[in-house]
């Protein structure tokens, strides 16, 4: 497949990955495009080169090379995973994964939607275990919204928090260029 156009959860291998899943030795080179024209998704868009929304999976030896273009409201975009967090007692574990992505995120949000994030490897994550991973390419985020929203862009991870568990990021690096342009106020 040359490109994928999609909606709420979109990934090169899996759009929505459930708790306890294992994704090993996968790669994707497709170009991904996603546009939310209705702004109806309360959770936001989750888009990744391998997995869009991922709750507590284990990923190893996965790689993505391509472009990801997202235009929408609250969004989480990453070269490997867009939204990557633990669920129940399952840690999200990523080992030996690599992304060489060109990520473009254009986001307009209002009403205090909390986080908009893009990262070369992961857009948004909570309490991950990430080992021996790296990212290349670029992340460009253009954000328009109110001052209660939090746009984040990073070469490796856009936004990482520890929630009930510690986060572990070990032997990882980024050669990815990250840029975030912010315009606050009433988006009109």
């Amino acid at each position: 497949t040359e490109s994928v156009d999609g909606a709420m959860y979109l990934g090169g291998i899996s759009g929505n990955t459930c708790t306890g899943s294992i994704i090993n030795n996968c790669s994707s080179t497709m170009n991904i495009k996603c546009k939310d024209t209705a702004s109806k998704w309360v959770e936001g868009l989750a888009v990744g080169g391998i997995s869009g929304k991922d709750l507590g999976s284990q990923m190893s030896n996965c790689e993505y090379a391509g472009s990801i273009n997202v235009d929408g409201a609250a969004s989480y975009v990453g070269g490997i995973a867009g939204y990557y967090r633990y669920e129940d007692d399952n840690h999200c574990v990523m080992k030996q994964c690599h992304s060489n992505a060109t990520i473009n995120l254009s986001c307009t949000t209002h009403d205090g939607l909390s986080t908009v994030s893009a990262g070369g490897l992961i857009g948004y994550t909570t309490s991950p275990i990430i080992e021996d991973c790296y990212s290349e390419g670029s992340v460009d985020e253009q954000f328009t919204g109110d001052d209660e929203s939090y746009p984040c862009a990073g070469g490796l991870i856009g936004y990482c928090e520890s929630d009930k568990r510690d986060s572990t990021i070990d032997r990882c690096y980024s050669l990815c260029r990250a840029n975030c342009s912010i315009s606050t106020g009433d988006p009109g």
Side-chain angles (χ1 to χ4, degrees):
T1 304
E2 182 63 29
S3 67
V4 173
D5 291 317
M8 195 165 170
Y9 308 134
L10 183 60
I13 300 292
S14 172
N16 189 9
T17 306
C18 297
T19 303
S21 297
I22 297 172
I23 302 174
N24 290 335
N25 303 314
C26 293
S27 66
S28 174
T29 58
M30 69 175 53
N31 296 317
I32 299 171
K33 206 169 40 169
C34 187
K35 183 170 184 169
D36 175 16
T37 57
S39 297
K40 61 185 174 189
W41 309 116
V42 175
E43 290 183 25
L45 303 172
V47 182
I50 299 294
S51 180
K53 180 179 180 182
D54 193 309
L55 300 177
S57 82
Q58 295 183 27
M59 277 193 216
S60 66
N61 198 30
C62 294
E63 63 179 52
Y64 174 76
S67 66
I68 301 174
N69 295 289
V70 177
D71 184 2
S75 299
Y76 310 99
V77 183
I80 297 291
Y83 184 89
Y84 192 57
R85 66 164 289 155
Y86 77 90
E87 186 72 14
D88 302 323
D89 289 328
N90 293 296
H91 266 288
C92 46
V93 178
M94 185 180 292
K95 295 182 180 182
Q96 298 175 333
C97 292
H98 166 243
S99 169
N100 188 353
T102 301
I103 297 172
N104 292 293
L105 169 60
S106 177
C107 186
T108 301
T109 172
H110 51 82
D111 298 329
L113 293 171
S114 59
T115 304
V116 175
S117 56
L121 197 68
I122 301 170
Y124 173 89
T125 186
T126 57
S127 304
I129 297 172
I130 304 171
E131 297 175 350
D132 302 309
C133 296
Y134 68 99
S135 64
E136 300 176 276
S138 63
V139 174
D140 286 298
E141 182 176 326
Q142 295 178 347
F143 173 82
T144 303
D146 58 34
D147 55 5
E148 293 182 26
S149 298
Y150 305 98
C152 306
L156 196 64
I157 299 170
Y159 185 91
C160 179
E161 69 176 316
S162 294
D163 183 19
K164 299 180 186 173
R165 298 184 170 109
D166 290 337
S167 296
T168 302
I169 302 170
D170 198 16
R171 297 179 309 277
C172 297
Y173 66 92
S174 174
L175 300 173
C176 183
R177 180 189 56 79
N179 180 54
C180 184
S181 301
I182 301 170
S183 173
T184 60
D186 183 9

